[in-house]
Amino acid sequence: MTRIWETVGLMCLSLLAGASTAWAMTPVSPEQILCGGEYIFEGRVIAVANKDCRLGPVPATCKQDRMNDVELRIVVTRLMGARKTAQGLRVGQTVTAQSFTYTSPFNTGKYIDQGVLAFRAPHDALLPNEWLHAAYVGQEFIFSGSANRVLVWPPDKAQWAKDAMAQPGKLFGGDCSLPL
C-alpha cells in the first residue's frame, strides 16, 4: 500500500513539475513583444549599418547565431502610442536605434512574428550591406521599443498594433503603450 502512495505521489509531483515547466516555456506572443517598449511609432529608415559583433576587433568572443545586429537611422513619421513614463520622441525627429535581423536557409518571408526582418541565408551568415540597404533604406515600418532600441514590424500591421494598444488585457493579459 505504501508503494502505491509513493507512486501516486511521484505521479503528482511529475504532473506539477510538468505544469510548471509548461508555464515557464509558454511562448511570448507577438502582441507582448510589440507592447514591451516605451513607444510604438511609424518611421522611415534613411540609413542602415551592420553592427554585428563578428565584424569587431574580437570576433572570437561573439556568439551570434541566426542574427545580425543592425543600426538604423529612422525618421519618425507618426507616433502611434507611448507609455505614460515615455519622454522625448516626436514626429520629424531622426533617431539612431539598434535592432537585429534573423537568418535561416529555410526562411520564406520578409518578417518573423517577433518584430524582426528575416533573410534567407545560412544561420551564421554575415549579411552583406547591399542586402540590408535594400531591405531597410527608404522603407516605412512600424517600430516598437525606445528611441535607441527597436523591433521592426511591417507597415500593414498598423491596425493590429492599434488593437494591441486598445485591448492589451484581452489580447494577452498585459499592458501596452497608450494609443495617441
Side-chain angles (χ1 to χ4, degrees):
M1 187 64 138
T2 303
R3 186 79 170 149
I4 293 173
W5 285 112
E6 286 176 2
T7 304
V8 169
L10 286 173
M11 288 174 48
C12 288
L13 204 58
S14 296
L15 287 172
L16 287 174
S20 66
T21 302
W23 174 257
M25 298 302 287
T26 301
V28 177
S29 73
E31 291 84 2
Q32 287 172 305
I33 295 168
L34 173 80
C35 291
E38 295 178 313
Y39 295 100
I40 298 172
F41 64 96
E42 291 179 22
R44 186 178 65 259
V45 176
I46 57 174
V48 62
N50 195 335
K51 295 295 183 177
D52 192 281
C53 60
R54 293 172 288 176
L55 297 170
V58 190
T61 62
C62 182
K63 302 284 188 225
Q64 293 291 72
D65 181 30
R66 300 181 188 218
M67 291 186 252
N68 283 234
D69 292 324
V70 293
E71 182 178 84
L72 305 172
R73 287 191 42 113
I74 305 162
V75 175
V76 178
T77 57
R78 180 176 166 219
L79 288 175
M80 297 176 67
R83 291 197 180 272
K84 290 179 183 177
T85 56
Q87 299 176 20
L89 195 63
R90 62 191 183 289
V91 172
Q93 180 180 359
T94 299
V95 297
T96 301
Q98 304 300 310
S99 193
F100 58 93
T101 65
Y102 175 82
T103 60
S104 170
F106 311 108
N107 188 47
T108 59
K110 185 175 178 178
Y111 301 92
I112 59 172
D113 284 340
Q114 285 82 23
V116 178
L117 261 66
F119 293 85
R120 187 178 189 130
H123 291 302
D124 60 351
L126 273 169
L127 294 174
N129 288 329
E130 299 81 34
W131 290 18
L132 294 172
H133 190 271
Y136 285 103
V137 177
Q139 306 289 318
E140 297 278 334
F141 298 99
I142 295 171
F143 297 95
S144 62
S146 65
N148 57 14
R149 185 102 181 128
V150 294
L151 295 171
V152 180
W153 305 91
D156 64 355
K157 292 279 193 174
Q159 187 59 50
W160 166 77
K162 288 177 188 176
D163 292 345
M165 288 185 286
Q167 300 177 11
K170 183 177 180 184
L171 288 173
F172 61 88
D175 65 330
C176 196
S177 296
L178 300 172
L180 299 174

